[in-house]
Amino acid sequence: KKAFEIADMWGNAYATFSLAGMYHYGNGVEKDLEKAFSYYQKTTEKIDFPFAHYQIGRMLESGIGIEIDEGSSMQHYKKALKGFVQMNEKLPDAKLQYRIGMMYLNGLGEEKNEEKGIEYLLKAAEMKNADAQYALAKQYLEKETKDKIEEGVRWLRDSAENGNVYAQCRLAKECLKGEYIEKDVDAAEKWLKKAVDKEYQAEYILGSEYLSGKHFEKRIDVAERLLTKAAEKGNEYAQYKLGKEYLSGENLKKDIGASEYWAKLSAENGNAYAQYMLGKEYVRGENYKKNVNEGVKYLKSASEKENHWASYMLGKMYYYGDQINKNEKIGIQYLKLAAEQGNDYASNMLVRISQGKGKKQSVKHIKGKMGYELECAMRAMKRALNDESQKMRNMREHEKLME
């Protein structure tokens, strides 16, 4: 650090950029994102360095160490992209090509340009860049045409063979699903074992499979160990699964304290399933110590993340005044929300409320019995049409750490 600081004082931009990286990632110093941003800016004041522009763009885009400024972010991304392209023209480099390709695909520095993005990714992939191969695989598998799927599978295999742990996890999942490639449980287990020491998503998937026994031989002790490792590294899904399993006692030995501990960590990491579980358990007080206020707080968090069971539970509680102050208006709002999120119980309850209140109240609260029944039918039709979209969103949620 001292050497870099001296070099920075003498005007060495690369030393300045190195200091920025140290503070950004906490390498050898205490992590300080504001200092990191300052040093990245200082770098660009000395030289037009695309890597520094790129980092500034990211930080401004996400509000890391600085307030969000999308306009300034795009300007820095634009300078970064221009610099990367020039560098690659002088000396072709697979890592640069991958970076350029992803910037075009994501619209960073220019409007989204899929054609250019794939062009650069192909160049990098042909130079055996595993990240580019995996990015191409995802692009082609999403096209869902036979020729593109075949090409996507080929790149996925190449990326996995070249050591990309995300590709190994995705390939394992595809081997288990048998949708794009022939189902091969042994191959799936092999790829997960390859990735398991490098990526906690693999620990979560393999642990879940050993726990369920659906595809692999059931190995409870190994499953618990793998899920715990993933949970300790911050995997919200592993944390939720442990919370749920310790609560039920079906596969793991029942442990209420451990259940509450892991569920809370998962909820704090934004997992809506964990938030709903905690909310429900705190309100009921059958397993965790009863705490209605805390329970309602977690239910509201889950509802905001479109957990329809949380919205339905809140709707009933408010409508009937169950353990909280009765408020029919708020109750109906949550029931409507739950119905919109796909909860049929909420839809049915709203219809029953409309029938019981009489015409005047029905119109006031829920647009009348016939109108609401038609609305429910339309919602049901919309949910049916959106089934595939929902499945994709669920799959992406469980794959977000691999994106």
Side-chain angles (χ1 to χ4, degrees), residues 88-349:
N88 186 66
E89 286 172 353
K90 291 179 182 177
L91 185 64
D93 178 86
K95 288 183 179 179
L96 268 181
Q97 289 163 352
Y98 166 67
R99 190 185 288 261
I100 294 166
M102 293 306 295
M103 290 185 76
Y104 276 122
L105 283 180
N106 294 315
L108 302 178
E110 276 195 20
E111 289 187 8
K112 285 185 180 182
N113 190 323
E114 187 176 317
E115 186 179 343
K116 270 191 175 182
I118 287 177
E119 177 190 335
Y120 275 99
L121 288 177
L122 278 168
K123 289 178 183 178
E126 286 162 3
M127 294 173 72
K128 300 192 183 303
N129 183 285
D131 294 329
Q133 291 168 338
Y134 179 54
L136 276 175
K138 289 196 294 179
Q139 286 291 312
Y140 288 143
L141 290 174
E142 286 175 4
K143 300 300 179 187
E144 295 187 352
T145 58
K146 187 178 178 183
D147 59 328
K148 293 300 181 186
I149 286 172
E150 288 175 354
E151 197 168 352
V153 170
R154 178 172 67 82
W155 285 120
L156 188 61
R157 288 189 186 279
D158 285 349
S159 180
E161 293 285 359
N162 287 327
N164 185 293
V165 292
Y166 306 116
Q168 290 167 350
C169 289
R170 177 69 182 270
L171 186 55
K173 283 189 168 187
E174 296 300 338
C175 287
L176 291 175
K177 284 195 299 183
E179 182 180 356
Y180 297 141
I181 57 179
E182 187 177 347
K183 191 166 184 174
D184 189 336
V185 173
D186 291 336
E189 188 172 14
K190 179 195 81 171
W191 286 117
L192 287 172
K193 283 181 175 179
K194 276 182 177 288
V196 81
D197 291 329
K198 303 169 189 172
E199 169 54 39
Y200 58 59
Q201 182 72 358
E203 292 171 338
Y204 165 65
I205 299 168
L206 191 57
S208 298
E209 289 295 337
Y210 282 145
L211 193 67
S212 71
K214 183 179 178 182
H215 296 106
F216 310 151
E217 181 184 350
K218 209 162 189 174
R219 301 174 66 187
I220 301 297
D221 290 346
V222 177
E224 186 175 18
R225 178 173 57 81
L226 288 170
L227 288 170
T228 301
K229 282 176 69 177
E232 287 172 345
K233 293 172 185 173
N235 185 294
E236 66 181 84
Y237 304 110
Q239 291 166 344
Y240 167 64
K241 185 170 280 291
L242 285 172
K244 188 178 177 184
E245 291 293 338
Y246 282 128
L247 183 64
S248 71
E250 290 178 14
N251 292 303
L252 305 180
K253 186 179 178 182
K254 191 160 187 170
D255 186 333
I256 299 300
S259 170
E260 187 176 8
Y261 171 77
W262 288 118
K264 273 188 172 181
L265 282 181
S266 181
E268 287 165 9
N269 284 326
N271 188 289
Y273 300 108
Q275 289 167 346
Y276 169 63
M277 187 179 101
L278 280 168
K280 179 178 67 174
E281 292 300 330
Y282 280 137
V283 167
R284 291 180 176 174
E286 294 171 3
N287 293 296
Y288 304 162
K289 186 178 179 181
K290 194 176 184 76
N291 188 331
V292 176
N293 290 336
E294 194 75 358
V296 169
K297 183 189 80 173
Y298 278 115
L299 287 172
K300 286 181 176 178
S301 294
S303 174
E304 288 168 5
K305 292 183 174 65
E306 300 189 2
N307 185 294
H308 63 89
W309 291 113
S311 302
Y312 175 55
M313 188 169 182
L314 285 167
K316 288 197 302 178
M317 289 177 71
Y318 276 111
Y319 188 80
Y320 293 119
D322 180 12
Q323 303 187 72
I324 56 176
N325 292 331
K326 185 172 181 174
N327 190 318
E328 290 187 5
K329 184 178 179 181
I330 293 176
I332 287 174
Q333 286 174 354
Y334 272 113
L335 289 170
K336 281 186 175 183
L337 179 60
E340 288 164 3
Q341 291 167 344
N343 191 290
D344 292 330
Y345 293 100
S347 298
N348 293 335
M349 183 173 168

Side-chain angles (χ1 to χ4, degrees), residues 365-400:
H365 288 293
I366 44 177
K367 306 176 185 176
K369 173 187 168 184
M370 295 304 294
Y372 193 79
E373 286 175 340
L374 177 60
E375 194 176 333
C376 287
M378 290 179 71
R379 283 176 184 151
M381 186 182 297
K382 184 179 178 183
R383 291 200 302 276
L385 290 171
N386 287 335
D387 248 5
E388 290 305 312
S389 174
Q390 184 62 47
K391 286 177 186 175
M392 289 300 295
R393 284 199 298 273
N394 289 342
M395 182 177 76
R396 288 193 187 103
E397 185 181 341
H398 282 274
E399 289 179 350
K400 70 178 184 178

